[in-house]
Amino acid sequence: MSRNIRTPILNPIGPFTTWMILGILSWLPFASSQAKEPYNILWICAEDLSPFFGCYGHPEAITPQIDAFASESTLFEEALTTAPICAPSRSSLATGMYAHSLGTAHLRSSVEIPETIRPLARVFKENGYWTALTGKTDYNFSAEGLFEYAKWDRIPWRNCPEGKPFFAFLNLGKTHESTGNFVDRANTVTADLSPSERHDPERTVVPPYFPNTPEMRRLWARYHDIATVFDREFGDVMGQLERDGLAENTIVFLFADHGHGTPRYKRWLNHTGLHVPLIVRHPDKAAARVERPVSMIDLPATALDLAGIAVPDNYEGSPLNLDSTDDPKGTWPLFGARDRADDMYELSRLVYDGEYLYIRHFQPHLSPLQEGIIFSDRKDFFRELRRAHNAGLDTDFSRRLWDAKPVEELYHMPSDPQELRNLASDPNFSETKAQLAKQLKEHLLQIRDTSFLLEPELERRSRAAGLTRYELGQSKKHYDLDTILRAAWDAGERDLSHLLSQPDSAVRFWALQSGWIHREMAPTLLVPLLQDGNPHVEITAAGLLAETRDEVLERQAHDVFRRYLKADEPRLFLYNARTLALAPKGTASKLEPELRRAHRTLFNPDPNGKRPYRDFNYSSFAGWAIEWSFMKSGLPPIEK
């Protein structure tokens, strides 16, 4: 498969010159036979898996295949993904751009991206690579046309046309949270493990932010077993690559999309939720360990750079240096984001400089363990957390999962790697906190974070302007981020009643968020906003008034809920349904006929469909919100 170099026929122009030319030409075929072909690029991604591997120093790990791979690779000890849940994290992996810049930050959604954005697979294809996908995309935008081969096939390269290098993205899903949280699936996935590969619950260490109960130890032992299953899967793939004679010309990346599928990991904007394994084996580079934290935003740029392909200008990451443990390059400092996941709204942002980690919660009134279907007792981890909490078995740290979040969190990671001591209110660290907050603000403004428009408002404005979410976010004419971000930032500090009449509806929305946070907003100020003219402002005001326990105000709020239960825009319908789900117990009883009618519109019209709802994004999530409203109010369950 080496490239052949044709020898041109030249007329001699002198004895000495002819001798030189002939000498060079006689060497060229030998040189061409030694020319290196383009490297194949193989990405192997685990779902929902923290670095529970022996090569990362985890004492309970049984991962011999991965450990052997790491011994001849560059291992990044502290790689942080950009979001603690799959779709926005994978959006960044697919495009080299932050999801909160691109407008793909919410799980799960269907977003149009502009033609100017060049996803990684497309760039590889444009540069002569054959592209293949195994498993999920979940990019929050359409992956149609990005991959030439997309099947459940762990050795897709065998379908690659001869003479072409390949970029293959393998997604191995047995580690997904569903395995960790549902015993039947866990038993199926781990059935082939030998007794020596299984982890003893009595010897399993439970992190301090979980109650140390026998059941919790059993659940954590299960997750170690799942990591061992992944080790086997990974070893199988690498064995096939070796047997096919491709190991010496393939750069292999091993990583995960985010942390474990458990509380305080998946969906949590903490180091635990973002920390993932990242191990890269390059056939022509020596093994190394990189201690300095790196961001997964740099992975697409790194893959292109190693393939000798120019990185598109709009990529927001930079290539990592596999050779240097002192200066791995890449993006610095590191940033992370959390937005709506399923039907649960949240907006938090993180910056990490390698020593201090700072988190800003823009909706701190929403507790880490919000009420709802996704965090219900249907999942083993959540059921045990709730049982222990109700039994008074919480630790000082696990109790925090149930409380409102602080506006700010600050951790000194070298001395507190499990993020247990929040230093944000300590005056000794006020200068450090201010510096990190400044860096975070600059980042949000630089990338033009689109999420400071609530999702239905972002969609409404994008459609009105005829722009994609990304294009709208980049337009100062259509999106006054400076003013909106100032209001969102100040909402955590003080009551913003004086902004309720501002002309920008997004500013009014953030003023209302201050009402949730500080509980100081006079109800009389809210009543006019029920007829604001902007849907997300009206719904938010209704949510606040529903909590007043004033019968007249409650009825007015319920009228707003009724109105938007008829909304035909799915994002707006979802926000209304979720706001109603968080309303006081009994609210659904007063809206029961309207809720039942609205819920029926979400059903899958195909009676033989695999899911009860039309799709696994807005319809499912709105359906879950309405289900929760009925459960909370003690109403008969909704028939599906």
Coordinates of all heavy atoms in Angstrom, one line a residue, residues 79-130:
A79 N -7.9 14.1 32.4 CA -8.6 14.6 31.2 C -10.0 14.9 31.6 O -10.7 14.0 32.2 CB -8.6 13.5 30.1
L80 N -10.5 16.1 31.3 CA -11.8 16.5 31.7 C -12.6 16.7 30.4 O -12.2 17.4 29.5 CB -11.8 17.7 32.5 CG -11.8 17.5 34.0 CD1 -10.6 16.8 34.5 CD2 -11.9 18.9 34.8
T81 N -13.8 16.1 30.3 CA -14.7 16.3 29.2 C -15.4 17.7 29.4 O -15.3 18.3 30.4 CB -15.7 15.2 29.0 OG1 -16.4 15.3 27.8 CG2 -16.7 15.1 30.2
T82 N -16.2 18.1 28.4 CA -16.7 19.4 28.4 C -18.1 19.5 29.1 O -18.6 20.6 29.4 CB -16.8 20.0 27.0 OG1 -17.6 19.0 26.2 CG2 -15.5 20.1 26.4
A83 N -18.8 18.3 29.2 CA -20.1 18.3 29.9 C -20.3 16.9 30.5 O -19.8 15.9 30.0 CB -21.2 18.5 28.8
P84 N -21.0 16.9 31.6 CA -21.1 15.6 32.4 C -22.2 14.7 31.9 O -22.7 13.9 32.7 CB -21.3 16.1 33.8 CG -22.1 17.3 33.6 CD -21.6 18.0 32.4
I85 N -22.6 14.8 30.7 CA -23.7 13.9 30.1 C -23.4 13.8 28.6 O -22.8 14.7 28.0 CB -25.1 14.5 30.5 CG1 -26.1 13.4 30.3 CG2 -25.4 15.7 29.7 CD1 -27.4 13.7 30.9
C86 N -24.0 12.7 28.0 CA -23.5 12.3 26.7 C -23.7 13.3 25.6 O -22.7 13.6 24.9 CB -24.0 10.9 26.4 SG -25.8 10.8 26.4
A87 N -24.9 13.7 25.3 CA -25.1 14.5 24.1 C -24.3 15.7 23.9 O -23.6 15.9 22.9 CB -26.6 14.8 23.9
P88 N -24.2 16.6 24.9 CA -23.4 17.8 24.7 C -21.9 17.4 24.7 O -21.1 18.0 23.9 CB -23.7 18.7 25.9 CG -24.3 17.8 26.9 CD -25.0 16.7 26.1
S89 N -21.5 16.4 25.5 CA -20.1 16.0 25.4 C -19.7 15.4 24.1 O -18.7 15.7 23.5 CB -19.8 14.9 26.5 OG -18.6 14.3 26.4
R90 N -20.6 14.6 23.5 CA -20.4 14.0 22.2 C -20.5 15.0 21.1 O -19.8 14.9 20.0 CB -21.4 12.9 22.0 CG -21.1 11.6 22.8 CD -22.2 10.6 22.8 NE -21.8 9.4 23.5 CZ -21.1 8.4 23.0 NH1 -20.7 8.5 21.7 NH2 -20.7 7.4 23.7
S91 N -21.3 16.1 21.3 CA -21.4 17.1 20.3 C -20.0 17.8 20.2 O -19.5 18.1 19.0 CB -22.4 18.2 20.7 OG -22.4 19.3 19.8
S92 N -19.3 18.0 21.3 CA -18.0 18.6 21.3 C -17.0 17.7 20.6 O -16.1 18.1 19.8 CB -17.5 18.9 22.7 OG -18.3 20.0 23.2
L93 N -17.1 16.4 20.9 CA -16.2 15.4 20.3 C -16.4 15.4 18.8 O -15.4 15.2 18.0 CB -16.4 14.0 20.8 CG -16.0 13.7 22.3 CD1 -16.5 12.4 22.8 CD2 -14.5 13.8 22.4
A94 N -17.6 15.6 18.3 CA -17.9 15.5 16.9 C -17.5 16.7 16.1 O -17.4 16.7 14.9 CB -19.4 15.2 16.7
T95 N -17.4 17.9 16.8 CA -17.2 19.1 16.1 C -16.0 19.9 16.5 O -15.6 20.9 15.8 CB -18.4 20.0 16.3 OG1 -18.5 20.4 17.7 CG2 -19.7 19.4 15.8
G96 N -15.4 19.6 17.6 CA -14.3 20.4 18.1 C -14.7 21.7 18.7 O -13.9 22.6 18.9
M97 N -16.0 21.8 19.0 CA -16.6 23.1 19.5 C -17.4 22.8 20.8 O -18.0 21.7 21.0 CB -17.5 23.7 18.5 CG -16.8 24.1 17.2 SD -17.9 24.9 16.0 CE -18.3 26.4 16.9
Y98 N -17.4 23.8 21.7 CA -18.2 23.6 22.9 C -19.7 23.6 22.6 O -20.1 24.4 21.7 CB -17.9 24.8 23.9 CG -16.6 24.8 24.5 CD1 -15.6 25.7 24.0 CD2 -16.2 24.0 25.6 CE1 -14.3 25.8 24.5 CE2 -15.0 24.1 26.1 CZ -14.0 24.9 25.6 OH -12.7 25.0 26.2
A99 N -20.4 22.7 23.2 CA -21.8 22.6 22.9 C -22.6 23.8 23.3 O -23.5 24.2 22.6 CB -22.4 21.4 23.6
H100 N -22.1 24.5 24.3 CA -22.8 25.7 24.7 C -22.5 26.9 23.8 O -23.1 28.0 23.9 CB -22.6 26.1 26.2 CG -21.1 26.1 26.7 ND1 -20.4 24.9 26.7 CD2 -20.3 27.0 27.1 CE1 -19.2 25.2 27.1 NE2 -19.1 26.5 27.4
S101 N -21.5 26.7 23.0 CA -21.2 27.7 21.9 C -22.1 27.4 20.7 O -22.7 28.2 20.0 CB -19.7 27.7 21.5 OG -19.5 28.4 20.4
L102 N -22.1 26.1 20.3 CA -22.8 25.6 19.1 C -24.3 25.6 19.2 O -25.0 25.7 18.2 CB -22.3 24.2 18.8 CG -22.6 23.6 17.4 CD1 -22.2 24.5 16.3 CD2 -22.0 22.2 17.3
G103 N -24.8 25.6 20.5 CA -26.3 25.6 20.6 C -26.8 24.2 20.8 O -28.0 23.9 20.7
T104 N -25.9 23.2 21.1 CA -26.2 21.8 21.2 C -26.0 21.3 22.7 O -25.7 20.2 22.9 CB -25.4 21.0 20.3 OG1 -24.0 21.3 20.5 CG2 -25.7 21.2 18.8
A105 N -26.3 22.2 23.6 CA -25.9 21.9 25.0 C -26.9 21.1 25.8 O -26.7 20.6 26.9 CB -25.7 23.2 25.8
H106 N -28.1 20.9 25.2 CA -29.2 20.3 26.0 C -29.4 18.8 25.6 O -29.4 18.5 24.4 CB -30.5 21.1 25.8 CG -30.4 22.5 26.0 ND1 -30.4 23.1 27.3 CD2 -30.3 23.6 25.2 CE1 -30.2 24.4 27.2 NE2 -30.2 24.7 26.0
L107 N -29.6 18.0 26.6 CA -29.9 16.6 26.3 C -31.4 16.3 26.5 O -31.9 16.6 27.5 CB -29.1 15.7 27.3 CG -29.3 14.2 27.0 CD1 -28.0 13.5 27.4 CD2 -30.4 13.6 27.8
R108 N -32.0 15.9 25.5 CA -31.6 15.6 24.1 C -32.3 16.5 23.2 O -33.4 16.9 23.5 CB -31.9 14.1 23.9 CG -31.5 13.5 22.5 CD -31.7 12.0 22.4 NE -30.6 11.3 23.1 CZ -30.7 10.6 24.3 NH1 -31.9 10.6 24.9 NH2 -29.7 10.0 24.8
S109 N -31.7 16.9 22.1 CA -32.4 17.9 21.2 C -32.0 17.6 19.8 O -31.1 16.8 19.5 CB -32.0 19.3 21.6 OG -30.6 19.5 21.7
S110 N -32.7 18.3 18.9 CA -32.4 18.2 17.5 C -32.1 19.6 16.9 O -33.0 20.4 16.8 CB -33.6 17.6 16.7 OG -33.9 16.3 17.2
V111 N -30.9 19.9 16.7 CA -30.4 21.2 16.4 C -29.8 21.3 15.0 O -29.1 20.4 14.6 CB -29.4 21.7 17.4 CG1 -28.8 23.1 17.1 CG2 -30.0 21.7 18.8
E112 N -30.2 22.3 14.3 CA -29.6 22.5 13.0 C -28.2 23.3 13.2 O -28.2 24.3 13.9 CB -30.5 23.3 12.1 CG -29.9 23.6 10.7 CD -30.8 24.5 9.8 OE1 -31.9 24.8 10.3 OE2 -30.4 24.8 8.7
I113 N -27.2 22.8 12.5 CA -25.9 23.6 12.6 C -25.6 24.1 11.2 O -26.0 23.6 10.2 CB -24.8 22.7 13.1 CG1 -24.5 21.5 12.2 CG2 -25.1 22.2 14.5 CD1 -23.3 20.7 12.6
P114 N -24.9 25.3 11.2 CA -24.7 25.9 9.9 C -23.7 25.1 9.0 O -22.9 24.3 9.5 CB -24.1 27.3 10.2 CG -23.6 27.1 11.6 CD -24.4 26.1 12.3
E115 N -23.7 25.3 7.7 CA -22.8 24.6 6.8 C -21.3 25.0 7.1 O -20.4 24.2 6.7 CB -23.1 24.9 5.3 CG -24.4 24.2 4.9 CD -24.2 22.7 4.8 OE1 -23.2 22.3 4.5 OE2 -25.2 22.0 5.2
T116 N -21.1 26.1 7.7 CA -19.7 26.5 7.9 C -19.0 25.7 9.0 O -17.8 25.6 9.1 CB -19.7 28.0 8.4 OG1 -20.6 28.2 9.5 CG2 -20.1 28.9 7.3
I117 N -19.8 25.0 9.8 CA -19.3 24.1 10.8 C -18.9 22.8 10.2 O -19.7 22.1 9.5 CB -20.3 23.8 12.0 CG1 -20.8 25.1 12.6 CG2 -19.7 22.9 13.0 CD1 -19.6 25.9 13.2
R118 N -17.7 22.3 10.4 CA -17.2 21.1 9.7 C -16.9 20.0 10.7 O -15.9 20.0 11.4 CB -15.9 21.4 8.9 CG -16.1 22.4 7.8 CD -14.8 22.9 7.2 NE -14.1 21.8 6.6 CZ -12.8 21.8 6.4 NH1 -12.1 22.9 6.8 NH2 -12.1 20.8 5.9
P119 N -17.9 19.2 11.0 CA -17.7 18.1 11.9 C -16.4 17.3 11.6 O -16.0 17.2 10.4 CB -18.9 17.2 11.8 CG -20.0 18.2 11.3 CD -19.2 19.1 10.4
L120 N -15.9 16.7 12.6 CA -14.6 15.9 12.5 C -14.6 14.9 11.4 O -13.7 14.8 10.6 CB -14.2 15.3 13.8 CG -13.0 14.5 13.9 CD1 -11.7 15.3 13.7 CD2 -12.9 13.7 15.2
A121 N -15.7 14.1 11.4 CA -15.7 13.0 10.4 C -15.7 13.5 9.0 O -15.2 13.0 8.1 CB -17.0 12.1 10.6
R122 N -16.4 14.7 8.8 CA -16.4 15.3 7.5 C -15.0 15.8 7.1 O -14.6 15.6 5.9 CB -17.4 16.5 7.4 CG -17.5 17.1 6.1 CD -18.5 18.3 6.1 NE -19.9 17.8 6.5 CZ -20.8 18.5 6.9 NH1 -20.7 19.9 7.1 NH2 -22.0 18.0 7.3
V123 N -14.3 16.4 8.0 CA -13.0 16.8 7.7 C -12.1 15.6 7.3 O -11.3 15.7 6.3 CB -12.4 17.6 8.9 CG1 -10.9 18.0 8.6 CG2 -13.2 18.8 9.2
F124 N -12.2 14.5 8.0 CA -11.4 13.3 7.7 C -11.8 12.9 6.2 O -10.9 12.5 5.4 CB -11.7 12.2 8.7 CG -10.7 12.2 9.8 CD1 -11.1 12.4 11.1 CD2 -9.3 12.0 9.6 CE1 -10.2 12.4 12.2 CE2 -8.4 12.0 10.6 CZ -8.8 12.2 11.9
K125 N -13.1 12.8 6.0 CA -13.6 12.4 4.7 C -13.0 13.3 3.5 O -12.6 12.8 2.5 CB -15.1 12.3 4.6 CG -15.7 11.6 3.4 CD -17.2 11.8 3.2 CE -17.9 11.3 4.4 NZ -19.4 11.3 4.2
E126 N -13.1 14.6 3.8 CA -12.6 15.5 2.8 C -11.1 15.4 2.5 O -10.6 15.8 1.5 CB -12.9 17.0 3.2 CG -14.4 17.3 3.2 CD -14.7 18.6 3.9 OE1 -13.8 19.2 4.5 OE2 -15.8 19.1 3.8
N127 N -10.4 14.8 3.4 CA -9.0 14.6 3.3 C -8.6 13.2 3.0 O -7.5 12.7 3.3 CB -8.2 15.1 4.5 CG -8.2 16.6 4.6 OD1 -7.2 17.2 4.1 ND2 -9.2 17.2 5.3
G128 N -9.5 12.4 2.4 CA -9.2 11.1 1.8 C -9.4 10.0 2.8 O -9.0 8.8 2.4
Y129 N -9.9 10.2 3.9 CA -10.1 9.1 4.9 C -11.5 8.5 4.7 O -12.4 9.1 4.3 CB -10.0 9.6 6.3 CG -8.6 9.7 6.9 CD1 -7.7 10.6 6.4 CD2 -8.2 8.8 7.9 CE1 -6.4 10.6 6.9 CE2 -7.0 8.8 8.4 CZ -6.0 9.7 7.9 OH -4.8 9.8 8.5
W130 N -11.5 7.2 4.9 CA -12.8 6.4 5.0 C -13.3 6.5 6.4 O -12.5 6.3 7.4 CB -12.5 5.0 4.6 CG -13.8 4.1 4.6 CD1 -14.7 4.0 3.7 CD2 -14.1 3.1 5.6 NE1 -15.7 3.1 4.0 CE2 -15.3 2.5 5.2 CE3 -13.5 2.7 6.8 CZ2 -15.9 1.5 5.9 CZ3 -14.1 1.7 7.5 CH2 -15.3 1.1 7.1

